[in-house]
Amino acid sequence: GIPGVPLPPLAERRASRRIQVGPVAVGGGAPVSVQSMTTTRTSDVGATLQQIAELTASGCQIVRVACPTQDDADALATIARKSQIPVIADIHFQPKYVFAAIEAGCAAVRVNPGNIKQFDDKVKEIAKAAKDHGTPIRIGVNAGSLDRRLLEKYGRATPEALVESALWEASLFEEHGFRDIKISVKHNDPVVMVEAYRRLAARCDYPLHLGVTEAGPAFQGTVKSAVAFGALLSQGIGDTIRVSLSAPPVEEVKVGIQILESLNLRQRRLEIVSCPSCGRAQVDVYKLAEEVTAGLEGMEVPLRVAVMGCVVNGPGEAREADLGVASGNGKGQIFVKGEVIKTVPESKIVETLIEEAMKIAAQMEKDGIAS
Ligand code: SF4
């Protein structure tokens, strides 16, 4: 391929209406955005803003904060004003916090219909307040807190139960002319989740927020989310994503970005392509790949660097890379676009790669390929 120009994604995006979460467009062909959620007490404004700053630095585009108490609601205005990325208030149970969040200037509010008692009577007022402030609403249906009525009807949180809950809530808002909505139908089982989103995608044009809920610790959650989001995004379904991990939220953002890059839904940045190593390897490939990754960290250009364990297949396997190394006999063949440009001792491989990477990066920046 041409360096810096990824192949197109696997499918055309599903046509969805566009909503505006602060400055971030969601749906209607806007790039798929990555979001996360803070783990601090929202009422602790300093700690929450600190975590939001870390999330922003890691590439998070939208952040959600929980709002379970009045103290949290009171903190929203300051957090919304000082955050560099749009803040969504996550409300369960109490409609009064929905109004507080809208008043506080949050970029959007997430409501969990199954959890908001007397929600139905309040929809008219919520729709009016949200419309007056231009605040979109996410209808966030969650398997764990599905409406009792639907649980009884379906016996458990089936894909159809999740979809029916979401569309029913949306219809309550629609009755009041409010369509500034995005929807999520989360489940901890990727298969149920994928099926729910597929059905939902076919039955409405609202932008969809993808999530596997309670996905688990980092490894399991990463795999579950990658599989589920991959299945949906590869069919063009999904407008914004949140990876849920029992791990620091910055990790969620990294995984989310990597998923989008893997699907060509976002321009790839630095990519290290290292061989899995095999009996022919004459160097510790894992260690070398780690050193090269560390050495090139922070590079903003979409550079593809190959780290190959031997000279037999190395250059051939890495012809698609911008830059690479194939090791053997205590030396490293450094190649650019599949051509060996020099051979250096093993101890000089990392620094030579960094030097060459800088040169290519400078050229890419000149050619306007940098992300
Ligand atoms: Fe094995 Fe060489 Fe291929 Fe690496 S590049 S997997 S060491 S043959």
Side-chain angles (χ1 to χ4, degrees):
I2 306 165
V5 182
L7 294 168
L10 288 161
E12 224 172 275
R13 304 268 308 280
R14 156 183 171 265
S16 57
R17 66 171 57 236
R18 177 174 288 199
I19 64 165
Q20 240 1 92
V21 178
V24 179
V26 176
V32 180
S33 48
V34 172
Q35 41 181 301
S36 183
M37 189 166 179
T38 52
T39 55
T40 52
R41 296 222 170 280
T42 303
S43 56
D44 187 342
V45 174
T48 303
L49 283 170
Q50 173 63 36
Q51 197 173 53
I52 292 176
E54 287 163 18
L55 284 166
T56 307
S58 70
C60 185
Q61 294 165 288
I62 297 172
V63 67
R64 190 150 47 101
V65 301
C67 186
T69 70
Q70 186 61 48
D71 284 346
D72 299 318
D74 292 342
L76 291 175
T78 310
I79 293 170
R81 194 173 66 246
K82 294 197 172 164
S83 168
Q84 295 141 285
I85 53 177
V87 174
I88 299 182
D90 192 85
I91 319 271
H92 289 243
F93 306 112
Q94 273 114 331
K96 68 176 177 185
Y97 298 150
V98 176
F99 297 112
I102 292 171
E103 292 290 332
C106 287
V109 178
R110 179 270 171 122
V111 297
N112 182 339
N115 260 347
I116 295 191
K117 312 297 171 210
Q118 343 99 14
F119 182 82
D120 304 357
D121 332 325
K122 293 279 179 201
V123 172
K124 186 176 177 184
E125 287 169 61
I126 292 174
K128 184 175 183 317
K131 196 184 266 178
D132 290 348
H133 287 79
T135 314
I137 303 269
R138 165 153 72 96
I139 295 174
V141 176
N142 223 322
S145 51
L146 190 66
D147 200 315
R148 283 255 313 274
R149 188 174 55 85
L150 290 164
L151 260 188
E152 279 161 23
K153 178 173 170 190
Y154 289 93
R156 62 199 160 82
T158 62
E160 192 56 32
L162 297 169
V163 170
E164 185 174 328
S165 172
L167 291 179
W168 181 70
E169 295 304 329
S171 76
L172 296 181
F173 281 99
E174 287 160 4
E175 275 173 29
H176 303 290
F178 189 84
R179 288 192 168 74
D180 210 3
I181 293 170
K182 62 177 171 146
I183 300 184
S184 62
V185 281
K186 298 193 183 182
H187 196 287
N188 61 43
D189 182 329
V191 173
V192 177
M193 177 272 194
V194 167
E195 183 57 24
Y197 276 98
R198 275 190 191 148
R199 291 178 186 214
L200 185 61
R203 302 224 307 253
C204 70
D205 71 347
Y206 291 117
L208 302 183
H209 162 117
L210 302 188
V212 176
T213 185
E214 292 109 31
F219 175 75
Q220 182 187 300
T222 299
V223 175
K224 272 188 172 185
S225 299
V227 168
F229 295 4
L232 289 165
L233 291 166
S234 67
Q235 295 174 12
I237 298 170
D239 300 284
T240 182
I241 62 172
R242 190 258 171 130
V243 174
S244 303
L245 300 177
S246 304
V250 164
E251 297 304 313
E252 300 183 343
V253 174
K254 286 191 201 162
V255 173
I257 290 174
Q258 190 69 51
I259 291 173
L260 295 183
E261 288 184 5
S262 301
L263 291 163
N264 281 345
L265 285 165
R266 182 179 283 217
Q267 174 156 293
R268 292 182 191 176
R269 297 157 306 165
L270 177 67
E271 190 178 6
I272 306 291
V273 190
S274 53
C275 82
S277 187
C278 74
R280 275 187 288 269
Q282 294 182 8
V283 67
D284 184 343
V285 177
Y286 304 160
K287 188 164 156 266
L288 187 57
E290 258 171 39
E291 285 173 4
V292 172
T293 306
L296 294 176
E297 208 193 300
M299 283 220 110
E300 289 292 325
V301 290
L303 198 63
R304 187 186 277 235
V305 182
V307 178
M308 298 292 150
C310 76
V311 289
V312 181
N313 292 336
E317 283 182 15
R319 199 146 282 150
E320 293 283 299
D322 300 302
L323 172 69
V325 60
S327 304
N329 284 332
K331 291 185 198 131
Q333 287 184 340
I334 306 292
F335 48 92
V336 172
K337 314 265 179 269
E339 301 289 331
V340 176
I341 55 155
K342 60 175 100 164
T343 301
V344 299
E346 209 171 295
S347 60
K348 296 262 188 253
I349 290 175
V350 177
E351 61 175 90
T352 310
L353 278 179
I354 293 170
E355 249 173 60
E356 293 301 321
M358 296 295 185
K359 282 190 210 160
I360 299 175
Q363 187 59 43
M364 280 180 166
E365 261 158 28
K366 237 170 95 188
D367 297 345
I369 296 175
S371 48

